[in-house]
Amino acid sequence: MKVKDVMDKEYLMLRSEIEENLKKQDQLFGTVISILGLTNVFSHISENVLFLFFILFLSTLLQLRMLEYRNIVYYISTYMVVFLEKDSDFKWETRLGKFKKEGYVYEDGKLRKKIINMVVVRFGRIIKHFIILGLVVFILLRIVVNVYKSYYMLWIKIVLYVVAGFLVIFNILYAYTLSTDKVNYSAYLKRWEKIRKQEQQERIEGRGQ
């Protein structure tokens, strides 16, 4: 089998892997939203603080999994750009990166449309990532109120408040990370490019021996 055929096969396989991870990420997002949304709707039925904490810890684990899927997509797509698309007729990831750098614009010179488009696309994406944070905050507020009204010992209340604070900080950082993680794409490109150059240097040195 020719080297080009092998690279094309690898490219198509990795494209499929990207699509699979994006699908898993979207499914987990829907699951987390459903869990937190239903908990907020029916939380008045169960005022059990431990149950609410369990829901938040579960959503935290699922969010970490979502972040892992997202990073896998970046790993693969940047690898494809550096190692496969430079020597292939397939250049989807490279062209997509250039397209995004141009921005989402309907018509050049139309400032009003540029502003509207930027708000709808980019601000809308940020809101999506902060939806989970909002739902978590509602649950945490209910937890804080229930703990305050409870007859728990003071040290137990303090521990629960600390845990609640940790969950708030985590969810803020998580929402911020998803909203700004586009910088990871450029960082991963540089890492793969560095590896590519190292391998080229090793091959040159190997031929000289």
Side-chain angles (χ1 to χ4, degrees):
M1 185 179 290
K2 295 181 180 179
V3 175
K4 184 178 183 302
D5 293 336
V6 173
M7 292 178 66
D8 289 348
K9 186 176 181 180
E10 181 183 12
Y11 185 90
L12 295 174
M13 181 187 69
L14 291 176
R15 278 296 310 160
S16 176
E17 188 71 20
I18 287 177
E19 292 171 4
E20 183 66 23
N21 278 279
L22 288 173
K23 182 179 179 181
K24 290 178 180 178
Q25 178 186 313
D26 290 339
Q27 289 174 340
L28 273 184
F29 179 80
T31 301
V32 172
I33 290 293
S34 298
I35 291 174
L36 295 176
L38 289 173
T39 301
N40 273 293
V41 171
F42 297 106
S43 60
H44 64 282
I45 298 176
S46 175
E47 300 289 345
N48 190 312
V49 172
L50 295 180
F51 171 75
L52 296 178
F53 268 123
F54 169 77
I55 292 296
L56 291 180
F57 279 121
L58 177 61
S59 70
T60 298
L61 292 176
L62 293 178
Q63 288 178 76
L64 289 173
R65 190 63 172 165
M66 285 169 57
L67 201 57
E68 181 181 347
Y69 288 140
R70 194 176 181 88
N71 269 320
I72 289 174
V73 170
Y74 284 147
Y75 296 152
I76 297 175
S77 62
T78 50
Y79 169 85
M80 290 166 63
V81 169
V82 174
F83 284 95
L84 300 179
E85 295 194 349
K86 288 186 177 182
D87 303 311
S88 170
D89 295 330
F90 298 110
K91 296 187 182 296
W92 163 250
E93 295 295 336
T94 300
R95 289 167 178 157
L96 179 62
K98 292 179 179 178
F99 177 82
K100 288 183 177 180
K101 285 183 180 179
E102 292 294 324
Y104 298 88
V105 183
Y106 292 121
E107 292 182 37
D108 291 334
K110 300 291 185 179
L111 181 60
R112 183 174 63 85
K113 288 187 177 181
K114 285 184 179 182
I115 294 174
I116 292 174
N117 200 41
M118 182 179 67
V119 170
V120 171
V121 177
R122 301 196 176 178
F123 188 65
R125 186 188 302 134
I126 293 174
I127 290 177
K128 174 186 175 182
H129 297 318
F130 278 84
I131 289 176
I132 293 177
L133 175 61
L135 293 172
V136 167
V137 168
F138 276 118
I139 295 177
L140 285 171
L141 287 175
R142 185 170 291 277
I143 287 176
V144 170
V145 171
N146 290 341
V147 170
Y148 179 77
K149 292 180 179 179
S150 70
Y151 295 100
Y152 295 142
M153 296 175 63
L154 179 60
W155 71 270
I156 295 179
K157 288 186 176 183
I158 293 174
V159 170
L160 293 176
Y161 287 145
V162 169
V163 174
F166 166 79
L167 290 172
V168 169
I169 293 173
F170 168 82
N171 280 275
I172 291 174
L173 292 176
Y174 176 81
Y176 176 78
T177 298
L178 289 187
S179 301
T180 60
D181 69 348
K182 296 298 181 183
V183 297
N184 291 344
Y185 189 88
S186 298
Y188 296 159
L189 275 176
K190 292 178 181 178
R191 288 188 192 179
W192 286 125
E193 192 62 52
K194 182 179 179 182
I195 293 173
R196 179 186 172 93
K197 290 179 180 179
Q198 288 175 345
E199 290 181 353
Q200 289 175 339
Q201 185 62 33
E202 289 172 358
R203 282 196 293 270
I204 293 173
E205 293 174 355
R207 292 169 186 167
Q209 293 177 355

